[in-house]
Coordinates of all heavy atoms in Angstrom, one line a residue:
V27 N 17.0 16.7 -22.7 CA 16.7 15.7 -23.6 C 17.1 16.0 -25.0 O 17.7 15.2 -25.7 CB 15.2 15.3 -23.5 CG1 14.8 14.4 -24.6 CG2 14.9 14.7 -22.1
L28 N 16.9 17.2 -25.4 CA 17.3 17.7 -26.7 C 18.8 17.6 -26.9 O 19.3 17.2 -27.9 CB 16.8 19.1 -27.0 CG 17.1 19.6 -28.4 CD1 16.3 18.8 -29.5 CD2 16.7 21.1 -28.5
G29 N 19.5 18.0 -25.9 CA 21.0 18.0 -25.9 C 21.5 16.5 -26.1 O 22.4 16.3 -26.8
T30 N 20.8 15.6 -25.3 CA 21.2 14.2 -25.4 C 21.0 13.6 -26.8 O 21.8 12.9 -27.4 CB 20.5 13.4 -24.4 OG1 20.7 14.0 -23.1 CG2 20.9 12.0 -24.4
V31 N 19.8 14.0 -27.4 CA 19.5 13.5 -28.7 C 20.4 14.0 -29.7 O 20.9 13.3 -30.6 CB 18.0 13.8 -29.0 CG1 17.7 13.6 -30.5 CG2 17.1 13.1 -28.1
V32 N 20.8 15.3 -29.6 CA 21.8 15.9 -30.5 C 23.2 15.2 -30.4 O 23.8 14.9 -31.4 CB 21.9 17.4 -30.3 CG1 23.2 18.0 -31.0 CG2 20.7 18.1 -30.7
V33 N 23.6 14.9 -29.2 CA 24.9 14.2 -29.0 C 24.8 12.8 -29.6 O 25.7 12.3 -30.3 CB 25.3 14.1 -27.5 CG1 26.4 13.2 -27.3 CG2 25.6 15.5 -27.0
I34 N 23.7 12.1 -29.4 CA 23.6 10.7 -30.0 C 23.6 10.8 -31.5 O 24.3 10.0 -32.1 CB 22.3 10.1 -29.4 CG1 22.5 9.7 -27.9 CG2 22.0 8.8 -30.2 CD1 21.3 9.2 -27.2
F35 N 22.8 11.7 -32.1 CA 22.8 11.7 -33.6 C 24.1 12.2 -34.2 O 24.5 11.9 -35.3 CB 21.6 12.5 -34.0 CG 20.3 11.8 -33.9 CD1 19.2 12.3 -33.3 CD2 20.1 10.5 -34.5 CE1 18.0 11.6 -33.2 CE2 19.0 9.8 -34.4 CZ 17.9 10.4 -33.7
S36 N 24.8 13.1 -33.5 CA 26.0 13.6 -34.0 C 27.1 12.6 -33.8 O 28.2 12.8 -34.5 CB 26.4 15.0 -33.3 OG 26.7 14.8 -32.0
S37 N 27.0 11.7 -32.9 CA 28.0 10.7 -32.8 C 28.1 9.7 -34.0 O 29.1 9.0 -34.1 CB 27.8 9.9 -31.5 OG 26.6 9.1 -31.6
T38 N 27.2 9.7 -34.8 CA 27.2 8.9 -36.1 C 28.2 9.5 -37.1 O 28.6 8.9 -38.0 CB 25.9 8.8 -36.7 OG1 25.4 10.1 -37.0 CG2 24.9 8.1 -35.8
L39 N 28.7 10.7 -36.8 CA 29.7 11.4 -37.7 C 31.1 10.9 -37.5 O 32.0 11.3 -38.2 CB 29.6 12.9 -37.5 CG 28.3 13.6 -37.8 CD1 28.3 15.0 -37.4 CD2 27.9 13.4 -39.2
L40 N 31.3 10.0 -36.5 CA 32.6 9.4 -36.3 C 32.9 8.3 -37.3 O 33.0 7.1 -36.9 CB 32.6 8.9 -34.8 CG 32.4 9.9 -33.7 CD1 32.3 9.2 -32.4 CD2 33.5 10.9 -33.7
S41 N 33.0 8.6 -38.5 CA 33.3 7.6 -39.5 C 34.7 7.4 -39.9 O 35.1 6.6 -40.7 CB 32.5 8.0 -40.8 OG 33.1 9.3 -41.3
F42 N 35.6 8.1 -39.1 CA 37.1 7.9 -39.4 C 37.7 6.7 -38.7 O 38.8 6.4 -38.9 CB 37.9 9.2 -39.1 CG 37.7 9.7 -37.7 CD1 38.5 9.2 -36.7 CD2 36.7 10.6 -37.4 CE1 38.3 9.7 -35.4 CE2 36.6 11.1 -36.2 CZ 37.4 10.6 -35.1
F43 N 36.9 6.0 -37.9 CA 37.3 4.8 -37.3 C 37.0 3.6 -38.1 O 36.2 3.7 -39.1 CB 36.7 4.6 -35.9 CG 37.0 5.6 -34.9 CD1 36.1 6.5 -34.4 CD2 38.3 5.6 -34.4 CE1 36.5 7.4 -33.4 CE2 38.7 6.5 -33.4 CZ 37.8 7.4 -32.9
T44 N 37.6 2.5 -37.9 CA 37.3 1.2 -38.6 C 35.9 0.8 -38.1 O 35.4 1.2 -37.0 CB 38.3 0.1 -38.4 OG1 38.4 -0.1 -37.0 CG2 39.7 0.5 -38.9
L45 N 35.3 -0.1 -38.8 CA 33.9 -0.5 -38.5 C 33.7 -1.1 -37.1 O 32.8 -0.6 -36.4 CB 33.4 -1.5 -39.5 CG 31.9 -1.9 -39.4 CD1 31.0 -0.7 -39.6 CD2 31.6 -2.9 -40.4
G46 N 34.5 -2.0 -36.6 CA 34.4 -2.5 -35.3 C 34.6 -1.5 -34.2 O 33.9 -1.5 -33.2
V47 N 35.6 -0.7 -34.4 CA 35.9 0.4 -33.4 C 34.8 1.4 -33.4 O 34.4 2.0 -32.4 CB 37.3 0.9 -33.6 CG1 37.6 2.1 -32.7 CG2 38.3 -0.1 -33.5
Q48 N 34.3 1.7 -34.6 CA 33.3 2.8 -34.7 C 32.0 2.4 -34.0 O 31.4 3.2 -33.3 CB 32.9 3.0 -36.2 CG 31.9 4.1 -36.5 CD 31.6 4.2 -37.9 OE1 32.0 3.4 -38.8 NE2 30.7 5.2 -38.2
I49 N 31.6 1.2 -34.1 CA 30.4 0.7 -33.3 C 30.6 0.8 -31.8 O 29.8 1.2 -31.1 CB 30.0 -0.7 -33.8 CG1 29.5 -0.7 -35.3 CG2 28.9 -1.3 -32.9 CD1 29.3 -2.0 -35.9
K50 N 31.8 0.4 -31.4 CA 32.1 0.4 -30.0 C 32.1 1.9 -29.4 O 31.6 2.2 -28.4 CB 33.5 -0.2 -29.7 CG 33.8 -0.3 -28.2 CD 35.1 -0.9 -27.9 CE 35.5 -1.0 -26.5 NZ 35.2 0.1 -25.7
V51 N 32.7 2.8 -30.2 CA 32.8 4.2 -29.8 C 31.4 4.8 -29.8 O 31.0 5.5 -28.9 CB 33.7 5.0 -30.7 CG1 33.6 6.5 -30.5 CG2 35.2 4.6 -30.5
L52 N 30.6 4.4 -30.8 CA 29.2 4.9 -30.9 C 28.4 4.4 -29.7 O 27.7 5.2 -29.1 CB 28.6 4.4 -32.2 CG 27.1 4.8 -32.4 CD1 27.1 6.3 -32.7 CD2 26.6 4.1 -33.6
K53 N 28.5 3.2 -29.3 CA 27.8 2.7 -28.1 C 28.2 3.3 -26.9 O 27.4 3.7 -26.0 CB 28.0 1.1 -28.0 CG 27.3 0.3 -29.0 CD 27.5 -1.2 -28.7 CE 27.0 -2.1 -29.7 NZ 27.3 -3.5 -29.5
D54 N 29.6 3.5 -26.7 CA 30.1 4.1 -25.5 C 29.7 5.6 -25.4 O 29.3 6.0 -24.3 CB 31.6 4.0 -25.5 CG 32.1 2.6 -25.2 OD1 31.3 1.8 -24.7 OD2 33.3 2.3 -25.5
L55 N 29.7 6.3 -26.5 CA 29.3 7.7 -26.5 C 27.8 7.9 -26.2 O 27.4 8.8 -25.4 CB 29.7 8.4 -27.8 CG 29.6 9.9 -27.9 CD1 30.4 10.5 -26.8 CD2 29.9 10.4 -29.2
C56 N 27.0 7.0 -26.8 CA 25.6 7.1 -26.6 C 25.2 6.8 -25.1 O 24.4 7.5 -24.5 CB 24.8 6.2 -27.5 SG 24.9 6.8 -29.2
L57 N 25.8 5.7 -24.6 CA 25.5 5.3 -23.2 C 26.0 6.4 -22.2 O 25.3 6.7 -21.2 CB 26.1 4.0 -22.9 CG 25.4 2.8 -23.6 CD1 26.1 1.5 -23.3 CD2 24.0 2.7 -23.1
A58 N 27.2 7.0 -22.5 CA 27.7 8.0 -21.6 C 26.8 9.2 -21.6 O 26.6 9.8 -20.6 CB 29.1 8.3 -22.0
S59 N 26.4 9.6 -22.8 CA 25.5 10.8 -22.9 C 24.2 10.6 -22.2 O 23.6 11.5 -21.5 CB 25.3 11.2 -24.3 OG 24.6 10.3 -25.0
I60 N 23.6 9.4 -22.3 CA 22.4 9.0 -21.6 C 22.6 9.0 -20.1 O 21.8 9.6 -19.4 CB 21.8 7.7 -22.1 CG1 21.3 7.8 -23.6 CG2 20.7 7.2 -21.2 CD1 21.0 6.5 -24.2
L61 N 23.7 8.5 -19.7 CA 24.0 8.4 -18.2 C 24.2 9.8 -17.6 O 23.6 10.2 -16.6 CB 25.3 7.6 -18.0 CG 25.8 7.6 -16.5 CD1 24.9 6.7 -15.7 CD2 27.2 7.1 -16.5
L62 N 24.9 10.7 -18.3 CA 25.1 12.0 -17.8 C 23.9 12.9 -17.8 O 23.6 13.6 -16.9 CB 26.2 12.7 -18.6 CG 27.6 12.2 -18.4 CD1 28.6 12.8 -19.4 CD2 28.1 12.4 -17.0
S63 N 23.1 12.8 -18.9 CA 21.9 13.6 -19.0 C 20.8 13.1 -18.0 O 20.1 13.9 -17.4 CB 21.3 13.5 -20.4 OG 20.8 12.3 -20.7
S64 N 20.7 11.8 -17.8 CA 19.8 11.3 -16.8 C 20.2 11.7 -15.4 O 19.3 12.0 -14.5 CB 19.6 9.8 -16.9 OG 20.8 9.2 -16.5
G65 N 21.5 11.8 -15.1 CA 21.9 12.3 -13.8 C 21.6 13.8 -13.6 O 21.1 14.2 -12.6
M66 N 21.8 14.6 -14.7 CA 21.5 16.0 -14.6 C 20.0 16.2 -14.5 O 19.6 17.1 -13.8 CB 22.1 16.7 -15.8 CG 23.6 16.9 -15.8 SD 24.2 17.9 -17.1 CE 24.1 16.8 -18.5
I67 N 19.2 15.4 -15.2 CA 17.7 15.6 -15.1 C 17.3 15.2 -13.7 O 16.5 15.9 -13.1 CB 17.1 14.6 -16.1 CG1 17.2 15.2 -17.5 CG2 15.6 14.5 -15.8 CD1 16.7 14.3 -18.6
A68 N 17.8 14.2 -13.1 CA 17.5 13.8 -11.7 C 17.8 14.9 -10.7 O 17.0 15.2 -9.8 CB 18.1 12.5 -11.4
I69 N 19.0 15.5 -10.9 CA 19.4 16.5 -9.9 C 18.6 17.8 -10.1 O 18.1 18.4 -9.2 CB 20.9 16.8 -10.1 CG1 21.7 15.6 -9.6 CG2 21.3 18.1 -9.4 CD1 23.2 15.7 -9.9
A70 N 18.4 18.2 -11.4 CA 17.7 19.4 -11.7 C 16.3 19.4 -11.3 O 15.7 20.3 -10.7 CB 17.9 19.8 -13.1

Side-chain angles (χ1 to χ4, degrees):
V27 169
L28 182 66
T30 304
V31 170
V32 167
V33 168
I34 289 173
F35 284 126
S36 67
S37 65
T38 59
L39 300 174
L40 298 172
S41 62
F42 55 86
F43 293 114
T44 60
L45 184 61
V47 176
Q48 181 182 4
I49 292 172
K50 184 181 182 318
V51 169
L52 180 68
K53 286 181 186 177
D54 289 343
L55 188 60
C56 291
L57 288 174
S59 66
I60 290 170
L61 177 72
L62 290 174
S63 67
S64 63
M66 287 189 283
I67 287 172
I69 290 170

